[in-house]
Amino acid sequence: MSKNVISIAKFEPNTINEDSAICRNNIVAVSDGAGGGGVFAEKWSMYLLENLPDKPIVNAEELDTWIDEIWEQFYNEYEKKAAAIGGLFLSKFYDEGSFATLAAAWKISENDVKWLSYGDSVVFHYNKFTDKLEYSISNLSEFNQAPYLINYTDKINPKGVKTGSFTIDEHS
């Protein structure tokens, strides 16, 4: 995790916080590790954020290309850890992989932000002067559907990629 961000685990005992957040240079991002399937969701969500490029990812093809460039290092490191645990855990690592969402915003100039979301993590922009709230989700009903998830075993589904931009100012 990086400076000026926090992610809080669920309030149940012995819960692993599978979510990650970063705020660095020109990027603010969150990744929700989805532990309902696969393994190492908390590590995968953190890995995705640590490896975010400094320039915006602007479409599904770029998102897929970026994941193709970074997944193997994660896979190799965590395959060893899964093998040390062995048994069903290792099988789950091979069969299911690791799952996480992604929502990121890149400040590309003084007043321009480009954003990307994949899954049910959301990018928000609020301007307190205009009282206008903008966001990356189309409709609240999207939360009723299974989210799109990034996994090192699967290609990105272009239907799950949302991109856009916000114009910001000193009131944002």
Side-chain angles (χ1 to χ4, degrees), residues 45-132:
S45 70
M46 185 180 306
Y47 183 82
L48 291 172
L49 297 186
E50 288 172 350
N51 287 279
L52 269 176
D54 289 332
K55 293 184 178 180
I57 298 170
V58 297
N59 58 43
E61 184 179 331
E62 285 187 16
L63 180 60
D64 216 28
T65 298
W66 169 67
I67 292 167
D68 281 346
E69 292 170 355
I70 68 163
W71 74 269
E72 195 168 7
Q73 182 179 342
F74 178 89
Y75 183 92
N76 291 338
E77 179 181 344
Y78 285 93
E79 180 183 33
K80 291 174 190 167
K81 293 178 182 193
I85 297 168
L88 293 174
F89 194 91
L90 180 59
S91 295
K92 200 168 188 175
F93 177 83
Y94 288 135
D95 295 342
E96 297 180 28
S98 300
F99 300 101
T101 67
L102 176 64
W106 291 264
K107 187 175 181 183
I108 58 170
S109 71
E110 188 64 30
N111 298 108
D112 297 308
V113 171
K114 293 222 180 247
W115 58 263
L116 168 129
S117 68
Y118 190 81
D120 59 2
S121 293
V122 181
V123 179
F124 292 94
H125 166 244
Y126 178 70
N127 186 300
K128 62 186 175 186
F129 181 75
T130 63
D131 198 32
K132 181 178 179 183

Side-chain angles (χ1 to χ4, degrees), residues 1-2 5-21 30-35 40-47 49 99-100:
M1 220 155 35
S2 59
V5 298
I6 189 167
S7 177
I8 300 171
K10 294 178 177 82
F11 296 111
E12 296 140 11
N14 304 316
T15 299
I16 294 174
N17 185 358
E18 297 169 335
D19 305 334
S20 298
V30 297
S31 179
D32 181 353
F40 298 126
E42 76 284 5
K43 303 297 185 188
W44 181 236
S45 70
M46 185 180 306
Y47 183 82
L49 297 186
F99 300 101

